[in-house]
Amino acid sequence: HGFAGLPTARGVSVKSPEFSCFGHQWLVVLYPGGGRLEGSKEGHVSVYLHNQSPESIQAYFKFVLKHPTDQTKRSFETGYAIQSFVAREGKGRHNFAKRETVLTYLNNGTLTLEVHLRSRKKAESSGYVPSNSFNNNMLKGFNNEEMSDVTFEVGGEVESAGNRRKRAKTTATTFHASHVILRLNAPSLADMCRSGDEAAVPIIGVEPEVFKMLLYFCYGGKVSEDELAANAKAVIE
């Protein structure tokens, strides 16, 4: 209010009330007689937007000055510019408009200056990017007879816990696998067989559950730390 009566000495400023936008506090600093910064011209009004919050922010902003009654008259505006506003710092124009011109744009003595703010956000992709289903597809082949070309029979004989020299008969468990996957993830098992072998490869001295866990891991499955700790000795052997 009362712009015409504001100080016209260069370097003397007036401040707007604070306002909130994008979670930050802002205010406009106006130099009716021009600022003292290099590039400021005599007789021009300087205007700056200040970030009053302690956090920095990147935003587009512009100032707009319109004639209050005659829409055919030129509007003064800075144009959008992306700026990084650090805490307590201002950005703006040293020479926004001539003071003598601004005086003709007052509305009952009041200068109305629009502040346009727009946050900087990354554009969302319009294209659909599907998630990678490799692991899920690999697990579909785990112990799948139709997708396998080698077979293992695990168990049948295991060492007695009481006497390592004695063996006990157990029922063998059959597992199916892909030779290519074994070659990539378990070369020792791949060396024990060939793709398309009709005879199953016997695995003696290993519990079926331990072998199943190892085969599951070869297919990209996750093994919990508890399972690994409980079967660490058998896995190493």
Side-chain angles (χ1 to χ4, degrees):
H1 302 287
F3 177 82
L6 294 176
T8 58
R10 296 190 68 176
V12 178
S13 67
V14 292
K15 298 178 180 179
S16 73
E18 288 192 9
F19 60 93
S20 178
C21 188
F22 303 126
H24 285 246
Q25 292 298 115
W26 307 85
L27 61 79
V28 175
V29 179
L30 188 75
Y31 292 83
R36 289 188 178 276
L37 296 176
E38 184 179 353
S40 297
K41 296 179 181 179
E42 186 75 32
H44 283 70
V45 175
S46 301
V47 59
Y48 304 93
L49 177 65
H50 280 247
N51 170 31
Q52 294 298 100
S53 298
E55 300 85 11
S56 299
I57 183 175
Q58 284 194 326
Y60 295 90
F61 83 102
K62 71 176 178 178
F63 295 112
V64 179
L65 174 62
K66 299 177 181 177
H67 195 277
T69 58
D70 190 349
Q71 300 302 315
T72 63
K73 285 196 173 183
R74 172 195 172 191
S75 294
F76 293 86
E77 57 182 79
T78 58
Y80 271 119
I82 180 66
Q83 296 287 350
S84 294
F85 290 88
V86 300
R88 308 292 192 271
E89 183 185 64
K91 303 284 185 180
R93 287 295 177 88
H94 303 330
N95 306 298
F96 178 65
K98 289 184 177 180
R99 176 180 170 78
E100 61 185 37
T101 303
V102 173
L103 288 170
T104 66
Y105 278 65
L106 303 181
N107 185 7
N108 295 323
T110 298
L111 174 64
T112 303
L113 189 65
E114 296 179 6
V115 181
H116 295 227
L117 268 170
R118 183 160 55 93
S119 65
R120 184 183 185 186
K121 293 182 179 179
K122 292 182 178 179
E124 295 182 1
S125 174
S126 58
Y128 170 69
V129 180
S131 59
N132 193 326
S133 58
F134 178 79
N135 273 7
N136 288 336
N137 290 336
M138 284 286 290
L139 287 173
K140 289 178 182 178
F142 168 65
N143 206 20
N144 186 318
E145 186 174 359
E146 293 182 358
M147 298 181 183
S148 303
D149 54 4
V150 293
T151 306
F152 296 91
E153 284 192 354
V154 182
E157 282 189 349
V158 295
E159 292 180 345
S160 171
N163 188 336
R164 290 289 180 181
R165 295 182 179 179
K166 293 182 179 180
R167 295 183 180 273
K169 293 286 185 179
T170 62
T171 302
T173 302
T174 301
F175 292 95
H176 304 279
S178 165
H179 193 265
V180 172
I181 293 175
L182 295 181
R183 176 58 62 195
L184 293 173
N185 301 313
S188 295
L189 287 178
D191 289 341
M192 298 171 64
C193 54
R194 293 181 180 180
S195 176
D197 282 349
E198 293 184 3
V201 178
I203 303 294
I204 299 173
V206 178
E207 290 285 351
E209 284 302 312
V210 174
F211 188 86
K212 180 180 179 180
M213 180 183 68
L214 291 174
L215 193 60
Y216 182 71
F217 185 79
C218 289
Y219 274 77
K222 293 183 179 180
V223 178
S224 69
E225 291 185 5
D226 291 341
E227 286 180 299
L228 193 58
N231 298 287
K233 186 176 183 298
V235 171
I236 293 173
E237 292 179 348

